[in-house]
Amino acid sequence: MIEDQRLCNESAELQRQTVTSYALSVVVVTLSLLIICGNLLVIISVIYFKQLHTPTNYLVLSLAVTDLLVGALVLPFSTILSMSSCWYSSYLLCKMRGLFDILLCTSSILNLCCISIDRYCAVCHPLTYRTKINVFVTLAMILVSWTLSALLSIVITVRGNDEENLSWRCKVFVATKESIPGPILTFYIPTVIISTIYLKILLVAKRQARNIQKTIKSEAALENKANITLAIVLGVFLVCWTPYFLSLGLYHMRKFTIPDIAIEAFKWLGWSNSVLNPLVYAFFYRWFRQAFKMILSGKIFQGDFSHTKLL
């Protein structure tokens, strides 16, 4: 009987609170739909409109696919596990959720790494940017990002198996010694790299702004706005995910008592990042706003507007 209780999901108390359970379901379903719909708009926009067929936007497309899968896979799995009071067959489901979670989180930050490299080449080496960063190079970066993410997620998930199955409990975070290198490889090192690159971009952009000629001021302003927007995407990602990884690190060190419910809340904050990126694009990019309007109004189904000039 005691062993059976240990196999129950650690969030089993939610099952006893019917109102809370239904409220959680409504919130998660709403969040999942927002994530899927928002990122689907980005994906359709980049694929359909020829003007958006640029190396940078292909990286944005890869990031949007990652965010969409968070809403379509990770959130539903997490909700099922949270709502299950004592589901003995949830071991496989929990492992699948963990695998997708690590895969997509790692893919997000590696895609942001690629975007920062793209922006670095555009700002710091503008004359050679088109030769260095082309479609082939961009696709190669996307392939490497997803491949590394898949390998890391498989290794971390397999090594995360608990030695005693009887004491196994499904968590939204992994707290074993084997899992310690995971956050270092998937979050901290890429974050330091991205932050360093964007700091370099900021310094170079400021220096270029002082030397810019009036004849190309408008073009430079657009480029600067694109850099700021992508930096905001990075900032939003860090705001959403840093609390979780910091609390997880403190949890591992055992120097501070952090309730599991707090780490779970930080995890959900991280997942909510997937709904924010499309909002950033819609708010800062005029061409994305125009593309979204044409898609939502159904105009693209009335004819071939793929070559439309998005202002």
Side-chain angles (χ1 to χ4, degrees):
M1 184 65 180
I2 295 177
E3 293 178 355
D4 290 344
Q5 290 296 326
R6 288 179 177 177
L7 285 169
C8 294
N9 184 273
E10 67 174 4
S11 298
E13 63 271 11
L14 291 178
Q15 184 68 18
R16 306 190 198 104
Q17 302 174 5
T18 307
V19 175
T20 304
S21 300
Y22 285 135
L24 177 64
S25 299
V26 171
V27 170
V28 173
V29 169
T30 302
L31 184 61
S32 295
L33 290 176
L34 288 174
I35 290 174
I36 293 172
C37 293
N39 287 285
L40 196 58
L41 283 175
V42 175
I43 293 170
I44 295 174
S45 298
V46 175
I47 293 176
Y48 182 80
F49 293 101
K50 302 295 183 183
Q51 182 182 339
L52 300 181
H53 290 185
T54 64
T56 303
N57 285 335
Y58 288 142
L59 295 172
V60 170
L61 172 64
S62 179
L63 182 61
V65 171
T66 301
D67 289 335
L68 184 145
L69 291 176
V70 170
L73 297 176
V74 178
L75 264 63
F77 281 178
S78 300
T79 306
I80 292 173
L81 289 167
S82 295
M83 296 288 291
S84 300
S85 59
C86 190
W87 191 6
Y88 300 110
S89 62
S90 62
Y91 180 84
L92 178 60
L93 182 62
C94 189
K95 283 298 177 183
M96 289 176 60
R97 190 275 310 276
L99 177 67
F100 286 127
D101 184 20
I102 299 171
L103 167 65
L104 298 175
C105 178
T106 306
S107 178
S108 290
I109 197 164
L110 291 184
N111 276 301
L112 288 171
C113 272
C114 293
I115 291 174
S116 66
I117 293 172
D118 171 83
R119 290 297 85 201
Y120 175 82
C121 293
V123 175
C124 301
H125 304 283
L127 298 180
T128 59
Y129 170 71
R130 295 187 181 278
T131 56
K132 287 183 177 180
I133 306 296
N134 51 41
V135 174
F136 177 78
V137 173
T138 302
L139 294 178
M141 288 195 293
I142 293 173
L143 180 61
V144 169
S145 298
W146 281 91
T147 302
L148 287 177
S149 301
L151 292 176
L152 281 171
S153 62
I154 292 172
V155 170
I156 293 173
T157 302
V158 171
R159 293 192 63 184
N161 285 326
D162 295 331
E163 296 179 359
E164 297 181 4
N165 289 335
L166 292 178
S167 62
W168 182 85
R169 303 173 76 186
C170 186
K171 296 183 177 182
V172 298
F173 61 95
V174 182
T176 62
K177 291 182 179 179
E178 291 79 4
S179 66
I180 294 177
I184 296 175
L185 294 173
T186 63
F187 183 78
Y188 290 110
I189 292 177
T191 296
V192 171
I193 294 173
I194 295 172
S195 300
T196 302
I197 291 175
Y198 269 107
L199 180 60
K200 175 66 174 178
I201 291 173
L202 178 63
L203 295 175
V204 172
K206 283 188 174 181
R207 186 169 65 248
Q208 290 177 345
R210 300 190 194 101
N211 302 326
I212 196 168
Q213 301 295 325
K214 293 182 179 180
T215 54
I216 58 173
K217 185 173 291 186
S218 59
E219 180 181 348
L222 290 174
E223 185 70 18
N224 186 53
K225 188 173 183 180
N227 294 330
I228 292 174
T229 302
L230 293 173
I232 291 174
V233 171
L234 170 63
V236 170
F237 179 89
L238 294 179
V239 168
C240 290
W241 279 106
T242 299
Y244 168 72
F245 283 102
L246 283 179
S247 62
L248 191 60
L250 295 174
Y251 187 95
H252 281 306
M253 292 188 296
R254 305 292 183 182
K255 293 185 177 181
F256 298 91
T257 302
I258 301 178
D260 288 356
I261 189 66
I263 302 181
E264 286 195 25
F266 290 144
K267 186 71 170 183
W268 281 91
L269 174 63
W271 288 331
S272 69
N273 171 76
S274 297
V275 78
L276 298 178
N277 288 341
L279 298 179
V280 175
Y281 302 141
F283 186 80
F284 287 96
Y285 285 151
R286 288 181 298 174
W287 48 89
F288 269 116
R289 285 201 302 271
Q290 184 65 22
F292 291 173
K293 289 178 181 178
M294 294 181 67
I295 294 171
L296 292 173
S297 65
K299 188 175 181 179
I300 63 172
F301 302 107
Q302 301 172 9
D304 184 7
F305 295 92
S306 59
H307 293 276
T308 301
K309 183 69 174 179
L310 302 171
L311 299 177

